[in-house]
C-alpha cells in the first residue's frame, strides 16, 4: 500500500475553501466529509481535509492562529513554470494572496508562494530534474 498524507486545515468558510482548492486543481471527494469537513485530493497520495473551525476544535484545544501568522508552508509540485504562474493567479482570483513571499527562480527550479483565504501558505514549485546542478 502506498504511503499517503492528509493535511488537515481549519477554514472559516467551507464552501469558499472548497471552491478555492477546486480552482487550483484539487478534486473534491464527496465520500469523505459533511457540512463541517471536505476532503480535497491533489493526487492518489496527497489530500487536504478542510475543517470548519467548529470541527477543528473537536480535534485539538490549541487555538487557530490568525491568518497573518505562519507555522508551516506546504509545497506542491507543478508540471511547468506556466502552471506555477497559473496557480498564483487563481489563488488571487479566488480570494487568496499571490506572491506572499518573493518569487524563487533558480533556472532549474521555479516557485511562487500564495496564501489561501485563511492564510495557509502554499508553494507551487516546478523543477527540471535534468538541469539540477550536481554537488561538487
Amino acid at each position: 500500500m502506498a504511503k499517503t498524507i492528509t493535511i488537515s486545515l481549519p477554514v472559516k468558510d467551507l464552501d469558499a475553501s472548497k471552491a478555492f482548492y477546486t480552482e487550483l486543481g484539487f478534486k473534491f471527494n464527496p465520500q469523505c466529509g459533511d457540512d463541517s469537513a471536505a476532503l480535497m485530493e491533489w493526487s492518489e497520495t496527497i489530500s487536504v481535509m478542510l475543517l470548519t473551525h467548529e470541527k477543528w476544535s473537536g480535534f485539538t484545544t490549541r487555538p487557530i492562529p490568525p491568518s497573518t501568522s505562519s507555522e508551516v508552508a506546504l509545497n506542491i509540485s507543478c508540471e511547468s513554470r506556466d502552471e506555477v504562474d497559473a496557480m498564483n493567479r487563481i489563488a488571487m482570483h479566488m480570494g487568496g494572496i499571490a506572491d506572499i513571499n518573493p518569487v524563487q527562480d533558480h533556472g532549474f527550479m521555479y516557485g511562487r508562494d500564495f496564501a489561501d483565504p485563511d492564510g495557509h501558505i502554499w508553494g507551487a514549485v516546478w523543477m527540471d530534474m535534468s538541469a539540477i546542478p550536481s554537488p561538487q
Side-chain angles (χ1 to χ4, degrees), residues 78-115:
C78 294
E79 298 290 325
S80 67
R81 294 172 69 98
D82 288 340
E83 186 180 348
V84 169
D85 292 338
M87 287 189 87
N88 237 271
R89 282 191 306 275
I90 291 166
M92 186 172 63
H93 175 72
M94 295 299 296
I97 301 170
D99 293 321
I100 196 158
N101 294 314
V103 174
Q104 299 290 313
D105 190 348
H106 304 286
F108 68 94
M109 182 176 82
Y110 178 67
R112 294 176 70 179
D113 296 341
F114 59 87

Side-chain angles (χ1 to χ4, degrees), residues 18 25 39 42 57 63 74 84 109 112 114 125:
K18 283 170 52 178
L39 185 67
W42 178 250
S57 66
L74 308 162
V84 169
M109 182 176 82
R112 294 176 70 179
F114 59 87
V125 180

Side-chain angles (χ1 to χ4, degrees), residues 7-130:
I7 302 159
S8 296
L9 296 175
V11 298
K12 289 180 189 172
D13 183 331
L14 186 60
D15 289 333
S17 292
K18 283 170 52 178
F20 180 89
Y21 284 95
T22 297
E23 286 295 317
L24 289 177
F26 286 74
K27 304 284 187 253
F28 170 60
N29 181 337
Q31 295 176 323
C32 300
D34 53 27
D35 291 343
S36 64
L39 185 67
M40 307 298 293
E41 297 172 341
W42 178 250
S43 70
E44 291 180 15
T45 58
I46 302 169
S47 300
V48 175
M49 179 60 83
L50 304 173
L51 303 166
T52 63
H53 285 197
E54 277 186 291
K55 184 80 161 186
W56 178 269
S57 66
F59 294 105
T60 182
T61 58
R62 294 176 58 109
I64 297 169
S67 62
T68 56
S69 175
S70 299
E71 184 176 300
V72 65
L74 308 162
N75 296 291
I76 50 179
S77 61
C78 294
E79 298 290 325
S80 67
R81 294 172 69 98
D82 288 340
E83 186 180 348
V84 169
D85 292 338
M87 287 189 87
N88 237 271
R89 282 191 306 275
I90 291 166
M92 186 172 63
H93 175 72
M94 295 299 296
I97 301 170
D99 293 321
I100 196 158
N101 294 314
V103 174
Q104 299 290 313
D105 190 348
H106 304 286
F108 68 94
M109 182 176 82
Y110 178 67
R112 294 176 70 179
D113 296 341
F114 59 87
D116 74 4
D118 291 281
H120 305 295
I121 296 177
W122 287 88
V125 180
W126 166 82
M127 290 182 69
D128 179 355
M129 298 303 283
S130 66

